[in-house]
Amino acid sequence: MQDAVLARQAMARQRRGRWLAHAALALGVLIFAFPIWITLVGSTHDAATIGRGDVPLLPGGHGLENFSTALGEGGGRMHTTPAAGMLLNSAIMALLIAGGKIAISLLSAYAVVFFRFPLRMAAFWTIFITLMLPVEVRIIPTYQVIVNLDLFNSFTGLTLPLIASATATLLFRQFFLTIPDEYVEAAQLDGAGPLRFFRDILLPLSVTNIAAMGVILFIYGWNQYLWPLLIINDRSMETIVVGLAKMIGSGDTQNEWNTIMATAVLAMTPPVLVVVLLQRWFIKGLTETEK
Amino acid sequence: MATLNLSAVTKSFGATTVLHGIDLNVADGEMIVIVGASGCGKSTLLRIVAGLETPTTGHVAIGGREVTRLEPADRDIAMVFQNYALYPHMTVAQNMAYGLKIRGTPKEEIARRVDETAGLLGIGPLLGRKPRELSGGQRQRVAMGRAIIREPKLFLFDEPLSNLDAKLRVQMRGEIRRLQQRLGVTSLYVTHDQVEAMTLGDRLVVMHRGRAAQVASPMEVWARPADTYVAGFIGSPAMNLLAGTLAEDGAAVQLRAGPLLRFTDGPRAGGEGRPLTIGIRPEHMLRDGDAIVTVALDLVEPLGSETVLHGTLASGEVLTARLPGMVPAVGSNMPLAIPAEALHVFDAETGRRLDA
């Protein structure tokens, strides 16, 4: 009898605990998702609705119209730069940054881990220290250098200073350190030179890590704001994050919020797609190794 | 197929010398087992032959060709690693073919040799699998296949069986030996397992602290160990080593444990009272005989067909005996006989064997 009561109490407690957990999760989702929902809904109404100061919570009927305006002519009051071009620019920039960083990091991590050369550790620490010097810190000298090299308004100038960093080098170094020496020795006996070993054995083993790094770095590149703002002033080369900010007029300007929201949705989509499509690899790369 | 010659090979890492001048001549087709406790330098020696380490001084020649300064790939050798080191992202067939592919062997030739080697090792059905889908024994075979397919002059084995369970180890040991004899490839095999060493080797190199303590056939090493280290290392349970002094003008030994034993193979040199170490294998101990010692038993291990007894002598020395059949339980004092014809005589100071 007593036990039956205890069991019922335990069950009730369990149910209450589960309910609480779900409530907390739902609250979290709400806090994160609500602004995005507002943006999404806002992009489907006409300018007047939002202009009146209403905050609609349900989608309206102007979605197609708004998105085609944003893509084809450009959002905001001025309709200056079409989002299609800016999306392309952002994609090129993000891919160059992610690809460049991965290529450079793989090679430098390879050198630091697998070769014995003078000042090896000094080289490693020099690379490591660049972690403390992101573009924002060295922005004036970097700007000077890029302008002097005549790389203003070019993809080279846009991506090169962002490529040089240590994050990915560190990750790849840690991964390479876990690769047993025997692979290197077996490859040596098989007659594989350093580059062959890198291509035939190290790269295939690093695929999941490269994918994980690719996701992180693509988003890092896509979200760049300060540097593109400085180095690009040609409208046709504008990236979407910078373009979006420029669309919003300041002061008393009457903003065309619906197309701005549509542009914001467009700007958010590619990183989301990358995460969704590569997430299986991403998780694999961060959690397991093929050995 | 080739000979292997090591002359005065030394190796130092900084201030530590791990090899103190190793000389070794391996005949064509011979299987040499390098055996020793961990840290004795046996793996370093193998890696020097492989070219993965460079000797500090000395020379290595394979098939009469000086290879001391050559890259591993140019030495025409193949190696089986302890953890197999199969490339995890390649299939079995690709793993085996990789070395040939790098050397630019034609595709048809590679395919033919992969099939041939797979047939030889019975891994034909596994060719399309990845290493992680294989069992330990199968990986071991693939690692062997990767070595064999190159048709090298020299096989190097670095403790290839130590990751397998006991039963599989015995089976693979037999396979390695049969395969090596069939292919007739000169082989160098490193192990810390004395049973592997005894069963596999044409000759053994017993390493101790960077020196070759003895180089001889397994039976020779067992029957006539060159020093007390080898005597204690080869044989299971380990040989008993008892203190004694030379007596009766070198014709006998006075054991600290009591009995006087007359040498059956002739007198030893040295003066009366020269300190000796007397070795006697546990399996040579008898229940009955002339020279009786009393053992206070503290552990009895019945193995079915025989019994291993551990105990202490009156002198405080530890003695192990392996006797056929069943033997009384712990706690009892038991008289055991030391047969004079089974003695090994060593100098107590240098540990070297003293022959008549």
Side-chain angles (χ1 to χ4, degrees):
Chain A
M1 193 58 212
Q2 185 101 45
D3 283 356
V5 173
L6 283 177
R8 213 172 311 130
Q9 280 176 351
M11 219 147 82
R13 204 176 313 128
Q14 242 172 41
R15 209 175 306 135
R16 206 160 49 234
R18 210 175 307 151
W19 200 88
L20 211 69
H22 277 97
L25 286 174
L27 186 70
V29 168
L30 210 66
I31 290 173
F32 280 111
F34 191 64
I36 298 173
W37 176 249
I38 292 288
T39 315
L40 210 58
V41 168
S43 69
T44 59
H45 284 274
D46 60 0
T49 313
I50 309 172
R52 276 199 305 274
D54 290 357
V55 181
L57 288 178
L58 292 173
H62 298 271
L64 275 178
E65 181 190 315
N66 290 344
F67 277 97
S68 78
T69 311
L71 271 173
E73 299 169 32
R77 198 167 44 94
M78 312 295 289
H79 291 220
T80 38
T81 326
M86 295 197 293
L87 280 172
L88 183 68
N89 292 339
S90 274
I92 294 173
M93 173 180 73
L95 286 174
L96 281 177
I97 289 175
K101 265 185 192 266
I102 286 173
I104 260 190
S105 307
L106 275 172
L107 285 173
S108 50
Y110 181 49
V112 165
V113 173
F114 289 99
F115 295 87
R116 301 280 165 272
F117 52 90
L119 297 183
R120 187 172 64 100
M121 283 322 278
F124 172 69
W125 284 109
T126 312
I127 295 172
F128 189 85
I129 278 172
T130 62
L131 267 186
M132 290 180 245
L133 300 169
V135 168
E136 288 77 4
V137 176
R138 53 185 160 95
I139 201 150
I140 292 168
T142 307
Y143 183 81
Q144 183 73 51
V145 168
I146 294 298
V147 170
N148 286 351
L149 287 174
D150 209 10
L151 292 172
F152 199 73
N153 267 333
S154 73
F155 277 114
T156 319
L158 183 59
T159 54
L160 209 55
L162 292 167
I163 284 174
S165 93
T167 352
T169 311
L170 276 182
L171 185 113
F172 286 127
R173 172 181 179 266
Q174 289 315 112
F175 172 63
F176 288 170
L177 284 176
T178 68
I179 287 183
D181 288 342
E182 279 87 350
Y183 289 158
V184 185
E185 290 169 357
Q188 266 181 301
L189 283 160
D190 273 335
L195 282 178
R196 268 263 14 178
F197 175 74
F198 183 71
R199 202 191 66 194
D200 289 354
I201 290 152
L202 213 51
L203 273 189
L205 288 178
S206 314
V207 168
T208 51
N209 286 61
I210 291 174
M213 242 22 243
V215 171
I216 293 173
L217 294 176
F218 180 85
I219 294 170
Y220 164 85
W222 186 272
N223 288 339
Q224 282 305 314
Y225 176 71
L226 185 57
W227 182 249
L229 182 68
L230 276 180
I231 213 71
I232 300 295
N233 62 6
D234 176 350
R235 286 261 178 204
S236 71
M237 288 198 63
E238 198 125 272
T239 62
I240 188 124
V241 175
V242 174
L244 185 61
K246 281 188 181 170
M247 271 174 205
I248 304 168
S250 54
D252 288 337
T253 345
Q254 183 67 43
N255 280 313
E256 208 180 289
W257 281 110
N258 55 341
T259 49
I260 294 175
M261 300 266 196
T263 314
V265 170
L266 289 172
M268 277 188 285
T269 313
V272 171
L273 279 182
V274 166
V275 170
V276 168
L277 292 179
L278 288 179
Q279 91 168 326
R280 203 170 55 88
W281 290 87
F282 179 72
I283 292 167
K284 247 177 131 181
L286 293 183
T287 54
E288 58 181 71
T289 47
E290 190 182 9
K291 274 192 299 296
Chain B
M1 267 145 278
T3 56
L4 168 69
N5 306 92
L6 303 181
S7 53
V9 170
T10 69
K11 177 72 184 173
S12 308
F13 294 102
T16 3
T17 305
V18 291
L19 291 177
H20 301 267
I22 303 283
D23 293 287
L24 181 65
N25 294 305
V26 184
D28 189 9
E30 199 178 16
M31 177 118 174
I32 296 282
V33 176
I34 304 173
V35 64
S38 47
C40 69
K42 57 188 191 298
S43 285
T44 310
L45 185 62
L46 191 78
R47 293 166 59 81
I48 285 175
V49 175
L52 298 169
E53 305 272 2
T54 325
T56 309
T57 60
H59 296 276
V60 181
I62 297 172
R65 181 171 69 127
E66 163 86 25
V67 297
T68 318
R69 303 281 148 196
L70 291 187
E71 289 288 325
D74 302 324
R75 296 185 176 204
D76 207 358
I77 53 174
M79 185 156 167
V80 178
F81 292 89
Q82 181 173 0
N83 62 3
Y84 320 132
L86 299 172
Y87 309 125
H89 59 290
M90 296 188 192
T91 63
V92 167
Q94 287 167 337
N95 259 292
M96 286 172 31
Y98 189 57
L100 296 177
K101 202 176 115 193
I102 287 182
R103 281 173 173 74
T105 316
K107 275 218 171 65
E108 311 79 64
E109 165 88 6
I110 292 182
R112 188 182 60 74
R113 271 158 79 170
V114 167
D115 281 340
E116 208 177 277
T117 314
L120 186 71
L121 291 161
I123 53 174
L126 308 178
L127 284 177
R129 294 212 204 154
K130 297 273 180 73
R132 66 166 172 277
E133 300 160 335
L134 303 178
S135 69
Q138 289 169 334
R139 283 182 209 184
Q140 170 64 50
R141 282 207 186 85
V142 176
M144 295 275 297
R146 184 167 70 174
I148 291 170
I149 198 167
R150 298 241 304 271
E151 296 171 5
K153 283 187 184 150
L154 192 62
F155 276 153
L156 303 174
F157 297 90
D158 187 7
E159 310 214 16
L161 301 181
S162 51
N163 283 1
L164 300 178
D165 61 58
K167 196 176 157 202
L168 207 52
R169 204 178 304 160
V170 174
Q171 186 193 337
M172 289 309 295
R173 194 171 73 201
E175 276 185 37
I176 288 180
R177 184 56 168 154
R178 273 193 289 276
L179 208 59
Q180 191 270 338
Q181 280 172 341
R182 189 153 138 208
L183 300 170
V185 179
T186 316
S187 302
L188 218 53
Y189 186 109
V190 162
T191 181
H192 62 264
D193 181 321
Q194 49 154 315
V195 181
E196 260 172 49
M198 293 292 285
T199 49
L200 279 174
D202 290 317
R203 277 193 296 155
L204 305 188
V205 177
V206 185
M207 297 271 296
H208 180 46
R209 293 189 183 159
R211 290 193 171 80
Q214 189 168 14
V215 183
S217 72
M219 280 323 289
E220 170 85 6
V221 169
W222 186 81
R224 293 170 44 80
D227 61 23
T228 48
Y229 176 79
V230 179
F233 188 78
I234 299 289
S236 173
M239 186 188 276
N240 297 300
L241 295 172
L242 305 174
T245 47
L246 204 58
E248 295 189 358
D249 279 343
V253 58
Q254 174 65 54
L255 287 185
R256 176 138 56 98
L260 181 87
L261 291 162
R262 217 168 292 281
F263 299 128
T264 53
D265 52 353
R268 264 56 176 188
E272 194 86 5
R274 174 181 185 181
L276 298 176
T277 301
I278 297 299
I280 175 81
R281 294 208 178 271
E283 57 268 38
H284 290 153
M285 296 294 293
L286 298 174
R287 289 194 187 206
D288 229 339
D290 299 331
I292 299 287
V293 286
T294 306
V295 188
L297 296 182
D298 52 30
L299 179 64
V300 176
E301 298 174 308
L303 301 176
S305 63
E306 57 194 13
T307 308
V308 179
L309 308 168
H310 303 269
T312 336
L313 298 174
S315 57
E317 289 163 309
V318 177
L319 189 93
T320 308
R322 212 167 88 189
L323 300 176
M326 289 301 294
V327 170
V330 187
S332 54
N333 280 326
M334 184 172 181
L336 288 171
I338 301 176
E341 61 276 11
L343 293 187
H344 300 267
V345 185
F346 305 99
D347 183 282
E349 274 149 33
T350 62
R352 304 298 303 170
R353 180 180 191 84
L354 293 176
D355 279 318

